[in-house]
Each structure stands twice: as C-alpha cells, then as structure tokens.
C-alpha cells in the first residue's frame, strides 16, 4: 500500500533511508543505543501521516506528560510511505548489505505550547525502532545488529534466528 500525502511523507521516508544507510555503511564501534533518530518533520505532521495508514496499523497510542506515543507493531505497515520500502532496504548495489528493521516502530512527539500559552502545539519528534540488522553485501550473514533487549528475548523464545532475519523457525 502506498501512502500518498503532503511533502512530509517523502521527508519521513528519506529520514528512514538516512538512518538505514548510516547503519549499513558506517563502521559502528558500538551498536548499543543506536535505535533512535529524529526526522526533519513536525510531530503534528507525523501523527497526521500515521493516521492515514490503513486501519489496524497503529498498535498502542498513549499520552503522558505532554508526550504522545504511537507504536506501529509491524515495520512493514510503514512500507509505501513516501513511495518506498521502510522495513527492508537493499544497499548491495552500493557495495553494502541489506538493512532490516525488526519489532515495533515507536513515534514519540514531545509536545510543547508556545510561551504565550496559545497557538499550535509544537515539539520534538523522535522515532525508535525495536531493532535493526544489516547483512553482508551478499545478503547472507548478519554483520551488525542492534536490538531492544526485550525484542531479543522475544526472538529467542519464538525460535526465529536473528542471523537469518527470523525466516527459519524451529
């Protein structure tokens, strides 16, 4: 499904591409806490875009302490945003591997009101993925990965291997 919409859809997609390319191409010394990025769009625009996804795509939505959180349970639900695939990106033509997002994708909008106390709600938007992995340039072996510890535990219990992208179930 392709989500059509304002220019911010393309900007959100390109921020996913930049995040993925940075993980696939850079020599990362530590993959801990490497699951969050800040797209160059407003939180309001991102939430409007998420609202346009097909019914059932958004898992949990919560608001606490002026922070609106929306969780997308399956990364493939975001495929089509801005005209591309978000859950898996192939950088093999550039000499790198395949980048995959695993687990829940969380959009967090830290809302704030202007000092005047009126006007539109603004704030910072961040996106956190449950985990990611990159393969070698042949697409066979995982060379880098970063997982939420809770996701890694779930993947061990479910029997899917992180090395094979969870395709081979026991």
């Amino acid at each position: 499904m392709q989500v059509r919409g304002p220019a911010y859809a393309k900007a959100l997609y390109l921020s996913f591409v930049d995040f993925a390319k940075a993980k696939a191409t850079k020599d990362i010394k530590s993959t801990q806490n490497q699951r969050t990025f800040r797209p160059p769009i407003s939180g309001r625009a991102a939430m409007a875009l998420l609202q346009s996804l097909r019914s059932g795509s958004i898992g949990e939505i919560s608001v606490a302490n002026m922070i609106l959180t929306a969780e997308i349970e399956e990364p493939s639900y975001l495929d089509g945003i801005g005209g591309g695939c978000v859950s898996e990106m192939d950088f093999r033509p550039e000499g790198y591997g395949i980048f995959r997002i695993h687990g829940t994708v969380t959009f967090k909008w830290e809302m704030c009101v202007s000092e005047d106390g009126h006007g539109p709600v603004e704030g910072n938007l961040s996106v956190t993925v449950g985990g990611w992995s990159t393969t070698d340039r042949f697409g066979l072996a995982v060379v880098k990965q970063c997982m939420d510890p809770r996701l890694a535990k779930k993947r061990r219990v479910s029997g899917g291997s992180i090395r094979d992208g969870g395709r081979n179930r026991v």
Side-chain angles (χ1 to χ4, degrees):
M1 177 181 96
Q2 182 161 352
V3 177
R4 299 178 194 267
Y8 55 79
K10 188 70 169 177
L12 181 60
Y13 169 70
L14 291 175
S15 66
F16 271 99
V17 171
D18 291 344
F19 173 75
K21 191 174 271 191
K23 304 308 176 206
T25 60
K26 290 184 181 172
D27 199 15
I28 301 171
K29 293 183 181 182
S30 172
T31 57
Q32 296 303 316
N33 301 319
Q34 295 282 333
R35 299 180 299 115
T36 301
F37 63 97
R38 294 190 181 274
I41 65 173
S42 71
R44 188 174 1 156
M47 295 306 158
L49 180 63
L50 293 180
Q51 184 180 12
S52 70
L53 294 175
R54 69 178 170 207
S55 179
S57 297
I58 299 177
E60 185 176 326
I61 299 175
S62 62
V63 179
N65 299 325
M66 294 292 290
I67 298 174
L68 175 63
T69 304
E71 294 183 351
I72 308 297
E73 297 294 329
E74 180 61 43
S76 64
Y77 292 158
L78 295 170
D79 290 347
I81 286 180
C85 181
V86 171
S87 60
E88 181 174 305
M89 297 180 200
D90 190 351
F91 296 111
R92 290 182 292 181
E94 299 168 37
Y96 302 104
I98 298 172
F99 174 87
R100 290 185 181 95
I101 294 177
H102 308 282
T104 303
V105 179
T106 304
F107 290 80
K108 185 167 83 172
W109 178 21
E110 299 176 31
M111 299 181 284
C112 61
V113 181
S114 69
E115 291 179 12
D116 298 337
H118 56 67
V121 177
E122 297 298 330
N124 298 319
L125 174 70
S126 63
V127 177
T128 302
V129 299
W132 56 266
S133 61
T134 60
T135 65
D136 60 10
R137 64 180 176 212
F138 303 109
L140 301 174
V142 172
V143 293
K144 288 182 269 187
Q145 65 185 0
C146 179
M147 299 288 170
D148 180 347
R150 294 172 293 176
L151 178 64
K153 185 176 182 180
K154 283 181 188 175
R155 291 175 70 85
R156 281 193 298 268
V157 170
S158 69
S161 168
I162 291 174
R163 296 207 185 282
D164 65 17
R167 292 186 301 265
N168 296 326
R169 302 271 181 218
V170 177

